[in-house]
Amino acid sequence: VGDLVVDGETGYVVPPRDETALADRVVMLLRDAARRTRMGDAGRARVRARFTLERMVNETAEAYARALARLAAWSRSA
């Protein structure tokens, strides 16, 4: 959630099991169409910027490279 929701910018984060806080935020959004639109637009922009196919492929390749490097280091020390 932290990668997607920036509290107050792309949505709201409320404490776990705090039904009152959740209800307050939902009511706030129901009453403010401009805020809903602004947060929705900001959320879409964040996803488009941060979760591209190229980025995901690069990060996956980097994770495999780190894992292989650790395996190689472990093999040399064993």
Side-chain angles (χ1 to χ4, degrees):
V1 171
D3 288 342
L4 296 174
V5 178
V6 177
D7 193 37
E9 181 182 323
T10 61
Y12 291 113
V13 178
V14 296
R17 294 178 290 283
D18 188 341
E19 297 87 4
T20 301
L22 178 59
D24 289 345
R25 293 301 189 191
V26 169
V27 169
M28 180 187 301
L29 289 171
L30 288 172
R31 291 181 176 162
D32 191 342
R35 183 182 306 226
R36 287 193 312 267
T37 299
R38 188 173 57 252
M39 286 183 156
D41 291 344
R44 278 185 291 283
R46 184 171 177 84
V47 167
R48 286 187 180 124
R50 296 179 58 106
F51 298 96
T52 64
L53 177 61
E54 180 180 0
R55 179 178 176 198
M56 293 177 71
V57 167
N58 289 339
E59 288 181 4
T60 300
E62 289 169 8
Y64 277 112
R66 286 190 305 273
L68 288 172
R70 284 194 307 266
L71 178 62
W74 178 80
S75 295
R76 286 189 299 269
S77 66

